[in-house]
Amino acid sequence: QAQQQARGCRVEMFGNLCCCTNDEEERVQNISLLDQEGYASTNGGNGTFTFGVVRQGVDAALGVGLDCLGSRSLYVCSIPAGMDSPIQKANERAARDRQLRVGDFIVEVNGLGDNVPNMIAEIQARRELLMRVSRPLEFNITVDRRGGSLSCGITYDSKAGISLVIETVNPGAVESWNQENPDKQVLPGDRIVAVNGKAGTSGQLLDMITTADSIVDLRIARPSSLNERC
């Protein structure tokens, strides 16, 4: 059976990262990544780039919601519009193809990467932040649960998440897909960002999986920078 664990690990861990109101968070949660203008294509879009942010002090909100589940990267789950925030100002200065977007992965902060706690600590401690951002590499898979579960260990942000993090791949539906499709394997750390063509909050994605027919289409996302290393 799939192990599903809800974890509230996002901006509450480091509250200076987001200053969303409840209304703004609700609106952001309803954004469909698949419909968002300029969202990364399945080939990873523009790959990786550096993104600099300067704020007045370490206690100043950045104006971004980050999902810190997983061990190697931070996932951008919201950027509220209409805010005079450091993130918004940095996006206004940046070229369109170098702007931070919902669905991006932050894989390095001030030279520190591959370790989420270290990146969080650096964000908390520094006024000036140079982030290495990776556009998502996305692909679709189709699995047959045969009346059972996906047979994956899944964690998710229960409050403002827009994805499900695959922690482990156990014997079952997804492992069978991996064996039959070695060029499109699902790996620990990947994120489910849409189910049967629909995006949503983490809770909605989980509900769509559990109530779907045996055959389920999943859209998987990971940092495109992982493929660049290969």
Side-chain angles (χ1 to χ4, degrees), residues 22-191:
N22 291 336
D23 289 340
E24 286 167 337
E25 288 185 348
E26 183 177 357
R27 177 179 55 76
V28 171
Q29 287 176 7
N30 291 327
I31 292 175
S32 170
L33 297 185
L34 304 182
D35 295 335
Q36 183 175 329
E37 180 182 0
Y39 192 65
S41 62
T42 54
N43 66 359
N46 297 307
T48 61
F49 59 96
T50 55
F51 185 80
V53 180
V54 179
R55 51 186 168 170
Q56 292 184 346
V58 295
D59 293 328
L62 285 175
V64 64
L66 298 176
D67 181 338
C68 57
L69 297 178
S71 61
R72 302 180 65 177
S73 62
L74 301 168
Y75 187 67
V76 180
C77 60
S78 65
I79 304 177
M83 297 177 59
D84 188 24
S85 67
I87 291 292
Q88 288 285 6
K89 290 178 179 178
N91 270 344
E92 290 170 0
R93 292 192 302 267
R96 181 177 174 80
D97 63 350
R98 292 296 184 268
Q99 293 176 347
L100 190 69
R101 306 171 185 167
V102 172
D104 283 342
F105 293 86
I106 298 173
V107 296
E108 189 176 286
V109 179
N110 291 346
L112 300 176
D114 291 330
N115 186 296
V116 165
N118 286 349
M119 289 191 284
I120 293 171
E122 187 69 10
I123 290 173
Q124 288 180 307
R126 305 295 180 186
R127 188 177 69 87
E128 298 183 6
L129 304 171
L130 187 62
M131 305 175 185
R132 183 167 175 250
V133 178
S134 176
R135 298 293 193 213
L137 172 70
E138 297 188 348
F139 58 95
N140 296 316
I141 72 170
T142 301
V143 297
D144 187 352
R145 297 183 300 155
R146 293 181 171 85
S149 68
L150 294 179
S151 297
C152 292
I154 291 175
T155 58
Y156 59 97
D157 180 338
S158 61
K159 293 188 177 182
I162 55 173
S163 67
L164 303 172
V165 182
I166 297 174
E167 298 285 355
T168 59
V169 177
N170 306 317
V174 174
E175 184 184 64
S176 295
W177 165 271
N178 283 350
Q179 293 172 350
E180 297 169 3
N181 301 271
D183 59 331
K184 295 174 67 177
Q185 290 192 0
V186 178
L187 305 175
D190 287 350
R191 289 176 181 262

Side-chain angles (χ1 to χ4, degrees), residues 10-26:
R10 57 154 194 137
V11 294
E12 279 79 4
M13 286 190 60
F14 37 99
N16 57 352
L17 292 190
C18 186
C19 51
C20 308
T21 66
N22 291 336
D23 289 340
E24 286 167 337
E25 288 185 348
E26 183 177 357

